[in-house]
Amino acid sequence: MSHNTFGHLFRVTTWGESHGAAIGCVVDGCPPGLPLTAEEIQAFLDRRKPGQSRFTTQRREPDEVAILSGVFQNDQGIDVTTGAPIALEIRNVDQRSKDYGDIAEKFRPGHADFTYWEKYGIRDYRGGGRSSARETALRVAAGAVARKVLGPDITIRGALVQVGPHKVDRSRWDWDAVAGNPFFCPDAETAHTWEGFLDGIRKAGSSTGAVIEVVAEGVPPGWGAPIYGKLDQDLASAMMSINAVKAVEIGDGMEAAELTGEENADEIRIGSDGSPLFLTNHAGGILGGISTGQPVVCRFAVKPTSSILTPKLTIDRYGRETEIVTKGRHDPCVGIRAVPVGEAMMAIVLADHMLRHRGQCGS
Amino acid sequence: MSHNTFGHLFRVTTWGESHGAAIGCVVDGCPPGLPLTAEEIQAFLDRRKPGQSRFTTQRREPDEVAILSGVFQNDQGIDVTTGAPIALEIRNVDQRSKDYGDIAEKFRPGHADFTYWEKYGIRDYRGGGRSSARETALRVAAGAVARKVLGPDITIRGALVQVGPHKVDRSRWDWDAVAGNPFFCPDAETAHTWEGFLDGIRKAGSSTGAVIEVVAEGVPPGWGAPIYGKLDQDLASAMMSINAVKAVEIGDGMEAAELTGEENADEIRIGSDGSPLFLTNHAGGILGGISTGQPVVCRFAVKPTSSILTPKLTIDRYGRETEIVTKGRHDPCVGIRAVPVGEAMMAIVLADHMLRHRGQCGS
Amino acid sequence: MSHNTFGHLFRVTTWGESHGAAIGCVVDGCPPGLPLTAEEIQAFLDRRKPGQSRFTTQRREPDEVAILSGVFQNDQGIDVTTGAPIALEIRNVDQRSKDYGDIAEKFRPGHADFTYWEKYGIRDYRGGGRSSARETALRVAAGAVARKVLGPDITIRGALVQVGPHKVDRSRWDWDAVAGNPFFCPDAETAHTWEGFLDGIRKAGSSTGAVIEVVAEGVPPGWGAPIYGKLDQDLASAMMSINAVKAVEIGDGMEAAELTGEENADEIRIGSDGSPLFLTNHAGGILGGISTGQPVVCRFAVKPTSSILTPKLTIDRYGRETEIVTKGRHDPCVGIRAVPVGEAMMAIVLADHMLRHRGQCGS
Amino acid sequence: MSHNTFGHLFRVTTWGESHGAAIGCVVDGCPPGLPLTAEEIQAFLDRRKPGQSRFTTQRREPDEVAILSGVFQNDQGIDVTTGAPIALEIRNVDQRSKDYGDIAEKFRPGHADFTYWEKYGIRDYRGGGRSSARETALRVAAGAVARKVLGPDITIRGALVQVGPHKVDRSRWDWDAVAGNPFFCPDAETAHTWEGFLDGIRKAGSSTGAVIEVVAEGVPPGWGAPIYGKLDQDLASAMMSINAVKAVEIGDGMEAAELTGEENADEIRIGSDGSPLFLTNHAGGILGGISTGQPVVCRFAVKPTSSILTPKLTIDRYGRETEIVTKGRHDPCVGIRAVPVGEAMMAIVLADHMLRHRGQCGS
């Protein structure tokens, strides 16, 4: 029962507002003895960092992470986790002293401005405060720790698979292409299409939605805890908790509705190594809430950001009708930077389930 | 941290296997003083009960629920909740002594048979054991209690909106139509189409997927707890925990990916009663994880059941390649009976968030 | 966050009122593959059963437990746990139809009657309802499962060490004596003293407090999770949750206040087997919230029951001053039957910590 | 399920090692709109600060707390809580670069050195690392927030009631005396005795145990959640989680064992204000795990610190027998500084239960 904590045995608690003094997280329950440095975490943060292309916000957020606890030098002179809580912190540096007037008083349609106000009667409106996507930097940082827990045999990779109406061509899927364009796009040709599309969005001061796919390979069968600690359930929870996410799919997702039982059946053979071999993966690597040993496949849809240049009808906090235009540095497609965030949440869910499975079943 | 518990302040713990002695649940944290009888719960169970048409399994499951604790007669002679845990129990009566041979030894492709075996090394295969959809009867029972917590001002209704490739025509949506066909279909004309389609599926010993939509009206603004106790996050978790669900959508769901910021913005005016009035509801009643006061809209996709008459390649528990055909009494479309289950999970999530909000914010 | 659940990975949820239809519990998170029968659980329940001597209540509570889920026959024909929740249930048989008049209306001084009424505005007064010590039968049942998790290398034994002002002579401590008297007394001579003392209490319609000591041997070093999941913290929580308990001690307990650092230091040597050997055990087997490998020693004090024959001043639920006398079948010393309850809670705490330790640290 | 978090709706997660870069905590679930400044928190920290007399450690720990999140200026220009997590942080300044040699290699008898090593295989030995009592500064800081939640009508006060064998004379109890001596002693005459006693302990390089009593007045009846969320259970958990605590008592505590039912009964009358009036308070303000409305009384015993000048037999981390002497700046009686810590834990438990009660029961 915690509003700002995710996970059970591997737990992440985040804190901080977009334009406050700092943001941070506490990673609790991490196994001891895992090598961990700030540099390793920083590498993941840098993938999410804004301003790396003209397609993401031009805010300057160096996002330099510090490890404040939970790591200690072992006898070999290597910094390793101690089993104590790992505190990660990012000091804010881009806190321009500016006039937040409009946002302070008015609610952006489609934004949490309104609901925070309704719930709490007070809100830190600066840069979105607690509801800012800046919080997702901490997910990425915690996800880097989670990857350490999972070890090198589990690979977690994400890609942007749709921007607005434009989907990737899965026949051209190439994981190596992901790093070769500013969109984490696994299909170089589609990346080219997106470039033009997003330039139009950007110049119009508009925004667009997107779909992200995250795949985890190497997950052994048996992780996940039915009935209410299902692996897919926790993935759904994890991904839906990311800002702006409106849908989560496992395996065939919504399209499973259109399948027949014959089409949906992932038939099983015995592979050359003597272990079970599935002929297809409609299930996305999860059956009955438990991993099958196949790749775990999760997708989520991100809505377009509500910060746009077109005036929109709204009200202010005094209950008066008005209009709002959001100026400033925006993300034409927040879905781009959601890719490393989705990877991180996959890692966090898997690390938690690895420990939970080991707790109950002993391996 | 509980594998078989859902919720925090309003908590539901379920137990039992499909063909065991009984199934049951414990509803903990219920406010005291709410009138509650077994008959009221039974009414909801009866909506989910199998065998009510030729389109659901013909198994006889009377599903008679008993309240074993947590209710006591007040001074007015009315049975009310006491604040103590409410134990609900359904004794199993249709436990045919039969040969489970094939299912006991082989794994149905697309079924949890395989993963339970991999995880635990032992499984109660009778009728699907713990992984059977029979467990969802308890969700419906607990959901009936949750509705009592929410009170009469909150209305929760579900409908089947897609069967296989056939979607309802939303222009013909009529909540009153839902009770008038065996599919919980809000569009009588589409219900007719489904009848023909499902007869075909049924006669072929096949199965099909479906999509369910659940809408909660009357939810006040302010429920939901960011960042990791978001209302939509908990709905995603709740719905994905239902058997066979592969995707969850809030509001526009996957289609949000195709929208621009202008299209997605739910503009706000002041209504004639002086309170905020949203002109659209792309958000599905949730912004930043907190309810807006608009209808909360959630959809989920259900895959086709793996119990089909067509032989499928699989392996047995000794690692030998084989084939399997599932005979017996099946649901051609498990999505039908998932409608009351989805309603129940919506009620459970909302009841939990009502209490959580009251705990932190005092009303 | 659960009012009626104890534990984290090994979790026990209890339900039921003293004179309701049944009482029960759900044991969740149990590792799979452990042999478990109702008979084994019954053996522990029988040790707690009332009416076994004239020193405990003469109520007839056969307390016959049934396992309703979570156990299945393995290939060897042995009933083993499946990893699914284990539902245990005891049907109530001694529900005399009687007039509860006085207790229904008045609050017994020193009893939860008053506080349940204040909290909930409704209470099941029959036999104490939810606040009855009858609930502890379920702890004993769940404790029997916990012992299976711990395995045969961990021994948990309890003893009554003080009744009213009369303490056992520790120089005469003999575990084998515990089963030889109706008090679980490890000192036969003191048991004789208690017999006379308690006959006096009993005949006077009075009651007396007591102290129970529980010792777990064979616990490996390393269990317990600082800072807020300390082993001693969870033992304190577990024991204090038992009805009528007013104090919990670990190791030297309250007397640690009188020690100097020199006296308190449990010096360490290397034993003949090469492992650490403590020369004393003031710590009661726990340092920094983590087990040392020494016996874990816990004591708790039980107050006298409030059901006595002497009239006491009180008020009724209408706020009127009155007197109360509690007739009926009472325990002159509820501490006697608290011995198996304390053992059970020790087992539950240890089982939970075993799984938690394995989850984080891998063994 | 969190190793470093305490509480449910009002939750405190702490992190940090004694000689690391910083220590901190995250207070989650705090109601919005409560005025809160670092100065107010600092006032409580200063009461716990070491070096205020010759009877506590002479380490310099300014313990300056910063609020990094969760507070925002309201329209009246007052900093108030926002409902978002409150991050509190204390940077470490007294990290002498020194040789930790002996402590790095050897285990102090009676200290967590040994168990951390056994559990994790790595430990930050500098100043006790995570097991240092320095962590309790964060409890005090979080307790200051908890007091804000409870409001001015609830008074929480602590006192030292025993040092070594010397108990206060309760007939001379005077809360005003507590601030008038360096021991938080409510009995000026006993404080004089302690002064001499502790000078002896201090000069001998020895240490002594102590007993702390914490009393909360103004707690309304009805807080606490049976069966496993009892108010006394959570107090026992809270107090036992404090470093060096070996026993917790509620009301009469261990002495309840010696009482008869007649003596223990807290008789009830109707007070002049028409509300229930208890004639005694053996129960310590809690019956059946729920507050009665009387003062909540809790005591706990603290063992003497293991850092003493007398050589003690021990082993080192290589399993070799050796001796250890702990030089440096020690607390002759750690119980003194445990008084504000105990008060803080009482406040945290009560704040959590206030919100939990409001969640379930609505007020």
Side-chain angles (χ1 to χ4, degrees):
Chain A
M1 171 64 246
S2 184
H3 304 152
N4 291 280
T5 298
F6 189 84
H8 296 268
L9 287 193
F10 184 86
R11 286 173 76 87
V12 181
T13 301
T14 74
W15 56 267
E17 286 83 30
S18 183
H19 289 204
I23 59 175
C25 68
V26 184
V27 180
D28 198 7
C30 187
L34 304 173
L36 184 70
T37 64
E39 289 68 33
E40 291 171 300
I41 299 172
Q42 194 64 47
F44 287 96
L45 283 171
D46 289 347
R47 290 183 70 221
R48 177 200 160 277
K49 199 167 59 177
Q52 304 193 93
S53 80
R54 66 182 184 277
F55 304 107
T56 58
T57 174
Q58 298 304 304
R59 277 189 301 275
R60 194 173 62 85
E61 293 176 358
D63 283 357
E64 274 180 31
V65 69
I67 302 176
L68 297 184
S69 70
V71 166
F72 195 66
Q73 213 175 59
N74 69 6
D75 288 352
Q76 288 75 46
I78 298 168
D79 283 339
V80 298
T81 57
T82 62
I86 301 166
L88 304 176
E89 192 171 295
I90 298 171
R91 290 272 158 179
N92 285 331
V93 295
D94 188 25
Q95 304 168 57
R96 301 191 187 181
S97 169
K98 69 172 177 181
D99 178 18
Y100 290 97
D102 234 29
I103 286 178
E105 302 284 314
K106 300 176 181 179
F107 306 124
R108 281 164 287 182
H111 194 278
D113 292 339
F114 173 74
T115 51
Y116 271 69
W117 182 258
E118 286 285 326
K119 184 177 186 75
Y120 300 118
I122 175 96
R123 76 191 165 93
D124 181 345
Y125 47 76
R126 302 168 305 160
R130 183 66 184 149
S131 72
S132 165
R134 183 148 172 63
E135 189 268 351
T136 61
L138 303 166
R139 300 175 185 237
V140 172
V145 182
R147 286 178 193 256
K148 287 300 186 107
V149 175
L150 295 171
D153 293 342
I154 293 182
T155 306
I156 297 169
R157 292 183 291 195
L160 202 62
V161 298
Q162 181 179 342
V163 171
H166 306 289
K167 300 184 182 185
V168 297
D169 180 338
R170 285 175 177 270
S171 69
R172 291 194 299 256
W173 189 294
D174 174 13
W175 279 114
D176 292 336
V178 165
N181 60 71
F183 310 110
F184 300 106
C185 181
D187 163 11
E189 204 168 311
T190 298
H192 191 69
T193 308
W194 291 352
E195 196 167 340
F197 175 71
L198 284 175
D199 270 330
I201 291 284
R202 185 172 58 84
K203 288 170 186 165
S206 181
S207 62
T208 183
V211 178
I212 291 89
E213 181 165 318
V214 180
V215 180
E217 288 167 282
V219 177
W223 291 8
I227 303 292
Y228 297 107
K230 287 178 171 167
L231 185 55
D232 38 1
Q233 169 182 16
D234 285 353
L235 284 171
S237 173
M239 300 309 174
M240 195 66 93
S241 78
I242 301 173
N243 306 46
V245 172
K246 299 304 287 183
V248 182
E249 299 188 315
I250 304 294
D252 282 2
M254 292 305 293
E255 291 186 8
E258 305 194 12
L259 299 182
T260 63
E262 292 75 17
E263 292 164 335
N264 182 64
D266 295 318
E267 295 187 304
I268 323 176
R269 298 284 80 188
I270 295 296
S272 53
D273 63 348
S275 63
L277 178 73
F278 290 83
L279 304 185
T280 50
N281 189 15
H282 295 283
I286 303 174
L287 288 173
I290 304 172
S291 61
T292 62
Q294 288 188 283
V296 175
V297 180
C298 182
R299 267 181 312 285
F300 56 95
V302 174
K303 69 179 180 186
T305 178
S306 54
S307 297
I308 51 176
L309 286 183
T310 303
K312 282 287 168 182
L313 300 178
T314 190
I315 58 174
D316 65 17
R317 68 194 186 94
Y318 308 104
R320 296 175 306 210
E321 297 192 337
T322 180
E323 281 195 350
I324 192 165
V325 170
T326 317
K327 291 169 186 160
R329 301 159 299 179
H330 306 307
D331 277 292
C333 178
V334 286
I336 299 172
R337 293 168 58 211
V339 173
V341 179
E343 290 179 3
M345 294 312 289
M346 172 71 87
I348 289 168
V349 168
L350 289 176
D352 190 31
H353 274 283
M354 171 186 156
L355 303 189
R356 289 163 75 175
H357 178 71
R358 188 161 74 183
Q360 184 177 17
C361 296
S363 66
Chain B
M1 172 65 244
S2 184
H3 304 153
N4 291 278
T5 298
F6 188 85
H8 296 267
L9 287 193
F10 184 86
R11 288 173 74 87
V12 180
T13 301
T14 75
W15 55 267
E17 285 84 30
S18 183
H19 289 203
I23 59 175
C25 69
V26 184
V27 179
D28 198 7
C30 187
L34 303 173
L36 184 70
T37 65
E39 289 68 33
E40 291 171 300
I41 300 172
Q42 193 64 47
F44 287 96
L45 283 170
D46 288 348
R47 291 183 69 221
R48 177 199 160 278
K49 198 167 59 178
Q52 305 192 92
S53 80
R54 67 183 183 276
F55 304 107
T56 58
T57 174
Q58 299 303 303
R59 276 190 300 277
R60 194 173 61 85
E61 293 176 359
D63 283 356
E64 274 181 31
V65 70
I67 302 177
L68 297 184
S69 70
V71 166
F72 195 65
Q73 213 174 60
N74 69 6
D75 289 352
Q76 288 74 47
I78 298 167
D79 281 339
V80 298
T81 58
T82 63
I86 301 166
L88 305 176
E89 192 170 295
I90 298 170
R91 290 273 157 178
N92 286 331
V93 295
D94 188 24
Q95 304 168 57
R96 301 192 186 181
S97 169
K98 68 174 179 180
D99 177 16
Y100 291 96
D102 234 27
I103 285 178
E105 301 284 314
K106 300 176 181 179
F107 306 123
R108 283 164 285 182
H111 194 278
D113 292 339
F114 174 75
T115 51
Y116 269 70
W117 182 258
E118 287 285 327
K119 183 177 187 74
Y120 301 117
I122 174 95
R123 76 191 164 95
D124 181 345
Y125 46 76
R126 302 167 306 160
R130 183 67 184 147
S131 72
S132 165
R134 183 147 171 63
E135 188 267 351
T136 60
L138 303 166
R139 301 175 185 236
V140 172
V145 183
R147 286 179 193 255
K148 286 300 186 108
V149 175
L150 295 170
D153 293 342
I154 293 181
T155 306
I156 297 170
R157 293 183 292 194
L160 202 62
V161 297
Q162 182 179 342
V163 170
H166 306 290
K167 300 183 183 185
V168 297
D169 180 338
R170 286 177 177 268
S171 69
R172 290 194 301 256
W173 190 293
D174 174 13
W175 279 113
D176 291 336
V178 165
N181 61 71
F183 311 110
F184 302 106
C185 181
D187 163 12
E189 205 167 309
T190 297
H192 191 71
T193 307
W194 291 351
E195 196 167 340
F197 175 71
L198 284 174
D199 270 330
I201 290 284
R202 184 171 58 84
K203 288 170 186 165
S206 180
S207 62
T208 183
V211 177
I212 291 91
E213 181 165 318
V214 181
V215 180
E217 288 167 282
V219 177
W223 290 7
I227 303 292
Y228 296 107
K230 286 178 171 168
L231 185 56
D232 38 1
Q233 169 182 15
D234 285 352
L235 284 171
S237 172
M239 300 309 174
M240 195 66 93
S241 77
I242 300 172
N243 306 46
V245 172
K246 300 304 287 183
V248 182
E249 298 188 316
I250 304 294
D252 282 2
M254 292 305 293
E255 291 187 9
E258 306 193 13
L259 299 182
T260 62
E262 291 75 17
E263 292 163 335
N264 182 65
D266 295 319
E267 295 187 304
I268 322 176
R269 298 285 79 188
I270 296 296
S272 53
D273 63 347
S275 64
L277 178 74
F278 289 84
L279 303 186
T280 50
N281 189 13
H282 296 284
I286 303 174
L287 288 173
I290 305 172
S291 61
T292 62
Q294 288 188 284
V296 175
V297 181
C298 182
R299 267 181 312 285
F300 55 95
V302 173
K303 70 180 180 184
T305 178
S306 53
S307 296
I308 51 175
L309 286 183
T310 304
K312 283 286 167 182
L313 301 177
T314 191
I315 59 174
D316 65 16
R317 69 193 185 94
Y318 308 104
R320 297 176 304 211
E321 296 191 338
T322 181
E323 280 195 350
I324 191 165
V325 170
T326 316
K327 291 168 186 160
R329 301 158 300 177
H330 306 307
D331 277 292
C333 177
V334 285
I336 299 171
R337 292 169 59 212
V339 174
V341 179
E343 289 178 4
M345 294 313 288
M346 172 70 86
I348 290 168
V349 168
L350 289 176
D352 191 30
H353 274 283
M354 171 185 155
L355 303 189
R356 290 163 76 174
H357 178 70
R358 188 161 72 183
Q360 185 177 16
C361 295
S363 65
Chain C
M1 173 62 244
S2 184
H3 303 152
N4 291 280
T5 298
F6 189 85
H8 296 267
L9 287 193
F10 184 87
R11 286 173 75 88
V12 181
T13 300
T14 75
W15 55 267
E17 286 83 29
S18 183
H19 289 202
I23 59 174
C25 68
V26 185
V27 179
D28 198 7
C30 188
L34 303 173
L36 184 71
T37 64
E39 289 68 34
E40 291 171 300
I41 300 172
Q42 194 64 47
F44 287 96
L45 283 170
D46 289 348
R47 289 183 71 222
R48 177 200 161 276
K49 198 167 60 179
Q52 305 192 95
S53 79
R54 67 183 184 276
F55 304 108
T56 58
T57 174
Q58 298 303 304
R59 277 188 300 276
R60 195 174 61 86
E61 294 175 358
D63 283 356
E64 274 180 30
V65 70
I67 301 177
L68 298 184
S69 70
V71 166
F72 196 65
Q73 212 174 61
N74 69 6
D75 289 352
Q76 288 74 47
I78 297 168
D79 283 339
V80 299
T81 58
T82 63
I86 302 165
L88 304 176
E89 193 170 295
I90 298 170
R91 291 272 157 179
N92 286 330
V93 296
D94 188 25
Q95 305 169 57
R96 301 191 187 181
S97 169
K98 69 172 177 181
D99 177 17
Y100 290 97
D102 234 28
I103 285 178
E105 302 284 313
K106 300 176 181 178
F107 306 124
R108 281 164 285 181
H111 194 277
D113 292 339
F114 173 74
T115 51
Y116 271 68
W117 182 257
E118 287 284 327
K119 184 177 187 75
Y120 300 118
I122 175 94
R123 78 192 162 93
D124 182 344
Y125 47 76
R126 302 168 304 161
R130 181 69 182 149
S131 72
S132 166
R134 184 148 171 62
E135 188 268 351
T136 61
L138 304 166
R139 301 174 185 236
V140 172
V145 182
R147 286 178 192 256
K148 286 300 186 108
V149 175
L150 295 171
D153 293 343
I154 294 182
T155 305
I156 297 170
R157 293 183 291 195
L160 202 63
V161 297
Q162 181 179 343
V163 170
H166 306 290
K167 300 183 182 184
V168 296
D169 180 338
R170 286 175 177 269
S171 69
R172 289 194 300 256
W173 190 293
D174 174 14
W175 280 114
D176 291 336
V178 165
N181 61 70
F183 310 111
F184 302 105
C185 181
D187 163 13
E189 204 167 312
T190 298
H192 192 72
T193 307
W194 291 350
E195 195 166 340
F197 175 71
L198 283 174
D199 271 329
I201 290 285
R202 185 171 59 83
K203 287 169 185 166
S206 180
S207 62
T208 183
V211 177
I212 291 90
E213 181 165 318
V214 181
V215 180
E217 288 167 281
V219 177
W223 292 7
I227 302 290
Y228 296 106
K230 287 178 170 168
L231 184 56
D232 38 0
Q233 169 183 14
D234 285 354
L235 284 171
S237 173
M239 300 309 175
M240 195 67 93
S241 77
I242 301 172
N243 306 46
V245 172
K246 300 303 287 182
V248 182
E249 299 188 315
I250 304 293
D252 282 3
M254 292 306 293
E255 290 187 9
E258 306 194 12
L259 299 182
T260 62
E262 291 75 18
E263 292 163 336
N264 182 65
D266 295 318
E267 295 188 305
I268 322 176
R269 299 285 80 188
I270 295 297
S272 54
D273 63 349
S275 63
L277 178 73
F278 289 83
L279 303 186
T280 50
N281 189 15
H282 296 283
I286 304 173
L287 288 172
I290 305 171
S291 61
T292 62
Q294 286 189 285
V296 175
V297 181
C298 181
R299 268 182 311 285
F300 56 95
V302 173
K303 69 180 182 185
T305 178
S306 54
S307 297
I308 51 176
L309 286 182
T310 303
K312 283 287 167 181
L313 301 177
T314 190
I315 59 174
D316 64 19
R317 68 194 185 95
Y318 309 103
R320 296 175 305 211
E321 296 192 337
T322 181
E323 280 195 350
I324 192 165
V325 170
T326 316
K327 290 168 185 159
R329 301 158 300 179
H330 307 306
D331 277 291
C333 178
V334 287
I336 299 171
R337 293 169 57 212
V339 173
V341 179
E343 289 179 4
M345 294 312 289
M346 172 70 87
I348 290 169
V349 168
L350 289 175
D352 191 31
H353 275 283
M354 172 186 156
L355 304 188
R356 290 164 76 174
H357 179 70
R358 188 161 74 183
Q360 182 177 17
C361 295
S363 65
Chain D
M1 172 64 245
S2 185
H3 304 152
N4 290 278
T5 298
F6 189 85
H8 297 267
L9 287 193
F10 184 85
R11 286 173 74 87
V12 180
T13 301
T14 75
W15 55 268
E17 285 84 30
S18 183
H19 289 202
I23 59 175
C25 67
V26 184
V27 179
D28 198 7
C30 187
L34 303 173
L36 184 70
T37 64
E39 289 68 33
E40 290 171 301
I41 300 172
Q42 193 65 47
F44 287 97
L45 284 170
D46 288 348
R47 290 183 71 222
R48 179 201 160 276
K49 198 166 60 178
Q52 304 193 94
S53 78
R54 68 183 182 276
F55 304 108
T56 58
T57 175
Q58 299 302 304
R59 278 190 300 276
R60 194 173 61 87
E61 293 175 358
D63 283 356
E64 274 182 31
V65 70
I67 301 177
L68 297 184
S69 70
V71 167
F72 196 65
Q73 213 174 58
N74 69 6
D75 289 352
Q76 288 74 47
I78 298 168
D79 282 340
V80 298
T81 58
T82 63
I86 301 165
L88 305 176
E89 192 170 294
I90 299 170
R91 291 272 157 178
N92 286 330
V93 295
D94 188 25
Q95 304 169 57
R96 300 192 187 180
S97 169
K98 68 174 177 181
D99 177 16
Y100 291 96
D102 234 27
I103 285 178
E105 303 284 314
K106 300 176 181 178
F107 306 124
R108 282 164 286 181
H111 194 277
D113 293 338
F114 173 74
T115 52
Y116 271 68
W117 182 257
E118 286 285 326
K119 184 177 187 73
Y120 300 118
I122 174 96
R123 80 193 160 93
D124 181 345
Y125 46 77
R126 302 168 306 161
R130 181 69 183 147
S131 73
S132 164
R134 183 148 171 64
E135 189 267 351
T136 61
L138 303 166
R139 301 174 185 236
V140 172
V145 182
R147 285 178 193 256
K148 287 299 186 108
V149 175
L150 295 170
D153 293 343
I154 294 182
T155 306
I156 297 170
R157 294 183 291 194
L160 201 64
V161 297
Q162 182 178 342
V163 171
H166 306 290
K167 301 184 183 185
V168 296
D169 180 339
R170 285 175 179 269
S171 69
R172 289 194 301 254
W173 190 293
D174 174 13
W175 279 114
D176 292 335
V178 165
N181 61 71
F183 310 110
F184 301 104
C185 181
D187 163 12
E189 204 168 312
T190 298
H192 191 71
T193 307
W194 290 352
E195 195 167 340
F197 176 71
L198 284 174
D199 270 329
I201 291 284
R202 184 171 59 83
K203 287 170 186 166
S206 180
S207 62
T208 183
V211 177
I212 291 89
E213 181 165 319
V214 180
V215 180
E217 288 167 281
V219 177
W223 291 7
I227 303 291
Y228 297 107
K230 286 178 170 168
L231 185 56
D232 38 0
Q233 169 183 14
D234 285 352
L235 284 171
S237 173
M239 300 310 173
M240 196 66 94
S241 77
I242 301 172
N243 307 46
V245 172
K246 300 304 287 183
V248 182
E249 299 188 316
I250 304 293
D252 282 3
M254 292 304 293
E255 291 187 8
E258 305 193 13
L259 300 181
T260 62
E262 292 74 18
E263 292 164 336
N264 182 64
D266 295 318
E267 294 187 304
I268 323 176
R269 298 285 80 187
I270 296 297
S272 54
D273 64 348
S275 63
L277 178 74
F278 289 84
L279 304 185
T280 50
N281 189 15
H282 295 284
I286 303 173
L287 288 172
I290 304 172
S291 61
T292 63
Q294 287 189 285
V296 174
V297 181
C298 182
R299 269 183 310 285
F300 55 94
V302 174
K303 69 180 181 185
T305 179
S306 54
S307 296
I308 51 176
L309 286 183
T310 303
K312 282 287 168 181
L313 300 177
T314 190
I315 59 174
D316 65 18
R317 67 193 186 94
Y318 308 104
R320 296 176 306 211
E321 296 192 339
T322 181
E323 280 196 352
I324 191 165
V325 170
T326 317
K327 291 169 186 160
R329 302 159 299 179
H330 307 307
D331 277 291
C333 177
V334 285
I336 299 172
R337 291 169 58 212
V339 173
V341 178
E343 289 178 4
M345 294 311 288
M346 172 70 86
I348 290 167
V349 168
L350 289 175
D352 191 31
H353 274 283
M354 171 185 155
L355 303 189
R356 290 165 74 174
H357 178 70
R358 189 161 73 183
Q360 183 177 19
C361 295
S363 65

